[in-house]
Amino acid sequence: MRDMSLPSASRSIESNHHDPIACAVLASGVSMSILALTGSPSSRCLSSALTRRAAALLRERGQRVDILGVDNLPAEDLIQARHDGTAAAALRGWVEQADVVLLGAFARNDCLPCGLIAMLDLLDWPPRRGAFAGKIVVPLVTWTSGARLLAIEQNVKTVLSALHASHVLSGVYAADTQIRLNRRGNAELDGEIDRRLLGLVDEIIRIARPSRAAWDAVSRSAQTGFRGAVSHTPALARCAV
C-alpha cells in the first residue's frame, strides 16, 4: 500500500542567491505550484531523470515542485481504470492545485507509455472535464533513437488536447543518445539539451509569474470560479493506496 502524499523534502524550496532570476522570484514572494507527472515506474528511466533535473532547476529558482509518478498509483487502479477510486481522486486533486504541470514520458516506437496514458485517463473524469484547462503544460520527453520525433510530438499534442491543455510550451525532447544516467541515477545532458532545459525553466518562470498573479487577483475578488473553488478545497494530505 503506497502513500500518495509526497515526502516533505519534495516541498522544500531551494534557492540560489547568485542567480538573478532566482533573486527576482524570491524577492517578489511569488511561488508557483508546479506538479511533475512521470509516466515511468522506474526512477532510473531517462524521462524520470530528465524530469527530476527540471524540478531541481526550478527549485533553485525558488519554486516549489511536487513529483508524482505512475508508481504512486496502485497498479489495479490503472489497469482497471478506477476513476471513482481514492487514488484517482487524490491525483485529480494534485493536478487541480497546480499552476504548471511538467509531463515526463519515455516514448518507444513513436508511442507514449501505457502507464502514462492510464494515469492521464484517471484525470479525465468526468469525461472531457478538461483536467489541464488553465494550466501551463510542459512536455519532457525522451525517446529511443529509432523513433520518429514528429510522430511523438503529434501523439503528445493529441493527448494534451484531449485534456483541454491550451497553453503548452515547446518542452524538451531528447533522444536516448543525448542523455545519460550517472552512478547516482541523475541525468547528464549533452550541451544542446542542457541549454534547452535551462531556457525552458527560465521561460516557465517568466510566463507563469504573471499568470499566478492574475489568478490570485481573481481569487481575492471573487470566491467562486475555478481558482476560487480550488482555494477552498481541503488539502489532500494523506491517501493510502
Side-chain angles (χ1 to χ4, degrees), residues 59 102 104 170 204:
R59 287 171 181 156
L102 309 180
S170 58
I204 291 171

Side-chain angles (χ1 to χ4, degrees), residues 192-224:
E192 179 187 357
I193 298 300
D194 193 46
R195 286 190 294 273
R196 278 193 218 163
L197 186 60
L198 289 170
L200 177 64
V201 166
D202 291 344
E203 183 182 6
I204 291 171
I205 292 176
R206 284 195 301 268
I207 292 176
R209 281 182 61 203
S211 298
R212 178 57 183 269
W215 281 122
D216 288 346
V218 170
S219 297
R220 287 193 298 270
S221 61
Q223 295 303 316
T224 59

Side-chain angles (χ1 to χ4, degrees), residues 83-172:
H83 297 93
D84 58 348
T86 308
L91 175 64
R92 290 192 290 270
W94 281 110
V95 172
E96 286 175 1
Q97 295 286 352
D99 299 301
V100 179
V101 177
L102 309 180
L103 191 63
F106 179 74
R108 189 184 300 274
N109 298 327
D110 305 343
C111 298
L112 296 177
C114 294
L116 176 65
I117 297 300
M119 186 181 192
L120 296 179
D121 182 70
L122 293 181
L123 290 176
D124 193 29
W125 191 259
R128 301 300 179 187
R129 66 186 294 268
F132 287 164
K135 315 288 182 188
I136 296 172
V137 183
V138 186
L140 300 170
V141 183
T142 59
W143 79 91
T144 53
S145 51
R148 296 169 296 179
L149 178 57
L150 289 178
I152 295 170
E153 288 183 320
Q154 185 58 48
N155 287 334
V156 170
K157 290 177 181 178
T158 299
V159 169
L160 295 182
S161 176
L163 294 172
H164 296 188
S166 57
H167 196 161
V168 182
L169 301 189
S170 58
V172 172

Side-chain angles (χ1 to χ4, degrees), residues 9-10 12-16 19 22 34 36 48-67 102 140 186-187 197-198 201 205:
S10 69
S12 64
I13 297 178
E14 304 170 11
S15 63
N16 178 357
D19 187 302
I34 302 175
S48 296
L50 179 61
T51 303
R52 290 197 304 273
R53 173 62 176 156
L57 291 171
L58 285 163
R59 287 171 181 156
E60 288 175 1
R61 285 154 172 77
Q63 300 303 317
R64 188 190 79 199
V65 184
D66 295 321
I67 300 178
L102 309 180
L140 300 170
N186 296 324
L197 186 60
L198 289 170
V201 166
I205 292 176

